[in-house]
Amino acid sequence: MEKSQGLLIVLSGPSGAGKGTLCQELLRQMPSLRYSVSLSTRSPRPGEVEGIHYYFGTRNEFESMIARDELLEWAEFCDNYYGTPRFAVEQALQEGLDVILEIEIQGALQIKKRFPQGVFTFIVPPSLDVLSERIHKRGTETEEVIQKRLAKAIQELEYVSEYDYVVVNDEVPVAVDKLKSILVAEKCRVKRKPFVFKGESV
Amino acid sequence: MEKSQGLLIVLSGPSGAGKGTLCQELLRQMPSLRYSVSLSTRSPRPGEVEGIHYYFGTRNEFESMIARDELLEWAEFCDNYYGTPRFAVEQALQEGLDVILEIEIQGALQIKKRFPQGVFTFIVPPSLDVLSERIHKRGTETEEVIQKRLAKAIQELEYVSEYDYVVVNDEVPVAVDKLKSILVAEKCRVKRKPFVFKGESV
């Protein structure tokens, strides 16, 4: 068999679903998995390392990359651009490495347009009660802000139909095992195989 | 979430790929998995138990079932009919049980037409050398018969493109783990989910 390309696995879902926790745990358990580092135009915060936490660039550089379609997705928040450079992802995949990307829903849908061969996985909380609890626990927001977040998260659940897989994040180890199974299964999909069988190896 | 239907997983592939071994091992490791019992018009051999090894029926009964489209696939060998009854498979799936079926390629393709929601998995040997070795080991056939089998098996590899997944059966435990991952992943597929999220459970 020819050397397979790596897989791009996109973890997405509403806020409070716990996609960040699952992403960290997967990276811990699978040392060969690469985390896709975002590009940002904001200033590095103390302790942030170029190429580890973010790639940092100027607005001009970022806008040139948009123009050249070199970003798998991008968005602007609070006067700063954030995006996913296509180059780093594609290079890792060509080396046969799997890449994981944790991202909110609009970003994931942009990636799906540019990179439909990705594995799009939607993470959901086990129930709305748990979702509410997780959003409450996060911090110091007022009840009004919390209610808005919750309403948005509920709306966002509708986007599940755009995804390939849905994983309920009830217990982290169970959800992580499901994500690992998804990776193993996707590597067995016939449509991903440059199938060669010439008397030596499949 | 509504109770999910079970999955029908179809193991197929050329003779010598080892699909029988993988099927037995999966059944051993997953006691909830149901083996699809075939219907035959041949006489029971000593020790064969109705409903365990085969369902046994008359030619008339079998032909009525063909006429009523009650078989997911069927074939005739040496004046006897063999087939897969649709009823038993569908009943188990509706109870939420997963069903496994080990079958040669033409039978699998018949099932795919009648039951496209099945999970069609093609088992291949790691190399043609290993395939040749396995076919030689089987028994007492002449070299000519063996060569014909091998040629047929090589031709049959072309059918991989009709399947969802391909699993290389090099080491049995590795191949079995891949099959288990495929089952787990397929249960997470959005297209299989009757997705409900009403404040209680996903």
Side-chain angles (χ1 to χ4, degrees):
Chain A
M1 195 173 64
E2 287 174 23
K3 186 164 167 46
S4 292
Q5 269 226 348
L7 293 175
L8 175 64
I9 180 160
V10 177
L11 291 196
S12 184
S15 106
K19 51 190 185 292
T21 309
L22 297 184
C23 184
Q24 292 313 312
E25 191 55 25
L26 265 177
L27 284 163
R28 199 181 65 77
Q29 291 187 27
M30 302 176 72
S32 68
L33 196 61
R34 288 288 174 274
Y35 178 70
S36 164
V37 176
S38 294
L39 175 66
S40 174
T41 60
R42 75 160 166 72
S43 307
R45 291 180 190 145
E48 282 185 343
V49 180
E50 161 83 13
I52 300 285
H53 301 94
Y54 280 98
Y55 297 110
F56 296 100
T58 66
R59 288 186 70 88
N60 268 349
E61 285 164 347
F62 201 103
E63 285 166 1
S64 306
M65 289 181 78
I66 296 173
R68 291 193 301 264
D69 197 25
E70 289 175 3
L71 298 167
L72 288 178
E73 58 79 35
W74 63 274
E76 197 171 4
F77 297 114
C78 307
D79 286 331
N80 284 305
Y81 286 123
Y82 296 84
T84 301
R86 180 192 284 272
F87 176 76
V89 168
E90 289 189 343
Q91 192 180 40
L93 298 180
Q94 270 160 27
E95 287 170 11
L97 297 168
D98 301 322
V99 177
I100 192 164
L101 210 153
E102 177 223 332
I103 194 165
E104 41 65 54
I105 293 167
Q106 294 310 317
L109 298 182
Q110 279 189 57
I111 294 176
K112 197 180 163 197
K113 276 189 197 153
R114 289 188 169 76
F115 204 86
Q117 65 271 48
V119 180
F120 294 87
T121 304
F122 200 73
I123 309 297
V124 293
S127 72
L128 294 188
D129 289 347
V130 171
L131 181 65
S132 168
E133 205 178 284
R134 288 184 188 162
I135 293 179
H136 272 92
K137 266 190 194 158
R138 280 225 171 152
T140 55
E141 288 101 340
T142 63
E143 189 58 27
E144 197 192 334
V145 173
I146 287 173
Q147 287 306 320
K148 273 191 188 162
R149 279 206 178 181
L150 193 55
K152 190 184 171 208
I154 292 169
Q155 270 192 327
E156 284 182 332
L157 290 170
E158 299 282 321
Y159 285 99
V160 66
S161 60
E162 301 283 335
Y163 287 75
D164 301 312
Y165 296 96
V166 55
V167 170
V168 179
N169 184 16
D170 190 353
E171 292 173 61
V172 170
V174 176
V176 167
D177 280 349
K178 285 181 179 175
L179 292 170
K180 286 158 83 177
S181 288
I182 289 168
L183 267 169
V184 171
E186 281 288 330
K187 285 175 189 290
C188 294
R189 285 189 79 84
V190 169
K191 67 173 187 181
R192 294 194 185 275
K193 294 277 183 185
F195 213 83
V196 185
F197 199 104
K198 292 195 179 115
E200 279 163 21
S201 61
V202 182
Chain B
M1 195 175 66
E2 288 173 24
K3 186 163 169 45
S4 292
Q5 269 226 348
L7 293 174
L8 175 64
I9 179 161
V10 177
L11 292 196
S12 184
S15 107
K19 51 190 184 293
T21 309
L22 297 184
C23 183
Q24 292 312 313
E25 190 55 24
L26 265 177
L27 284 163
R28 199 181 65 78
Q29 291 186 26
M30 302 177 73
S32 69
L33 196 60
R34 288 288 174 275
Y35 178 69
S36 163
V37 177
S38 293
L39 175 66
S40 175
T41 60
R42 75 158 166 74
S43 308
R45 292 180 190 145
E48 281 184 345
V49 180
E50 162 82 14
I52 300 284
H53 301 94
Y54 280 98
Y55 297 111
F56 296 100
T58 65
R59 288 185 70 87
N60 268 349
E61 287 165 346
F62 202 103
E63 285 166 2
S64 305
M65 290 180 78
I66 296 173
R68 292 194 302 263
D69 198 24
E70 289 174 4
L71 297 167
L72 288 178
E73 58 80 35
W74 64 274
E76 197 172 4
F77 296 114
C78 307
D79 285 331
N80 284 306
Y81 286 123
Y82 296 84
T84 302
R86 179 193 285 272
F87 176 77
V89 168
E90 289 189 343
Q91 191 179 42
L93 297 180
Q94 270 160 27
E95 287 170 12
L97 297 168
D98 300 323
V99 178
I100 193 165
L101 210 153
E102 177 221 333
I103 195 165
E104 41 66 54
I105 293 167
Q106 294 309 318
L109 297 183
Q110 279 189 57
I111 294 175
K112 197 180 163 196
K113 276 190 196 151
R114 289 188 169 77
F115 204 86
Q117 66 272 47
V119 180
F120 294 87
T121 304
F122 200 75
I123 310 296
V124 293
S127 72
L128 294 188
D129 289 347
V130 171
L131 180 66
S132 169
E133 205 178 283
R134 287 185 189 161
I135 293 179
H136 271 93
K137 267 190 195 160
R138 279 225 172 154
T140 54
E141 287 101 342
T142 63
E143 188 59 26
E144 198 192 331
V145 173
I146 287 174
Q147 287 307 320
K148 273 191 190 162
R149 278 207 178 181
L150 193 55
K152 190 183 171 207
I154 292 169
Q155 270 191 327
E156 284 183 331
L157 290 170
E158 300 282 320
Y159 285 99
V160 65
S161 60
E162 302 283 335
Y163 288 74
D164 301 312
Y165 296 97
V166 56
V167 170
V168 179
N169 183 17
D170 190 353
E171 292 174 61
V172 170
V174 176
V176 167
D177 280 349
K178 285 180 180 175
L179 292 170
K180 286 158 83 177
S181 288
I182 289 169
L183 267 169
V184 171
E186 281 288 331
K187 285 175 188 290
C188 295
R189 287 188 80 82
V190 169
K191 67 172 186 183
R192 294 194 185 275
K193 293 277 183 185
F195 213 85
V196 185
F197 199 104
K198 292 194 180 119
E200 279 163 22
S201 60
V202 182

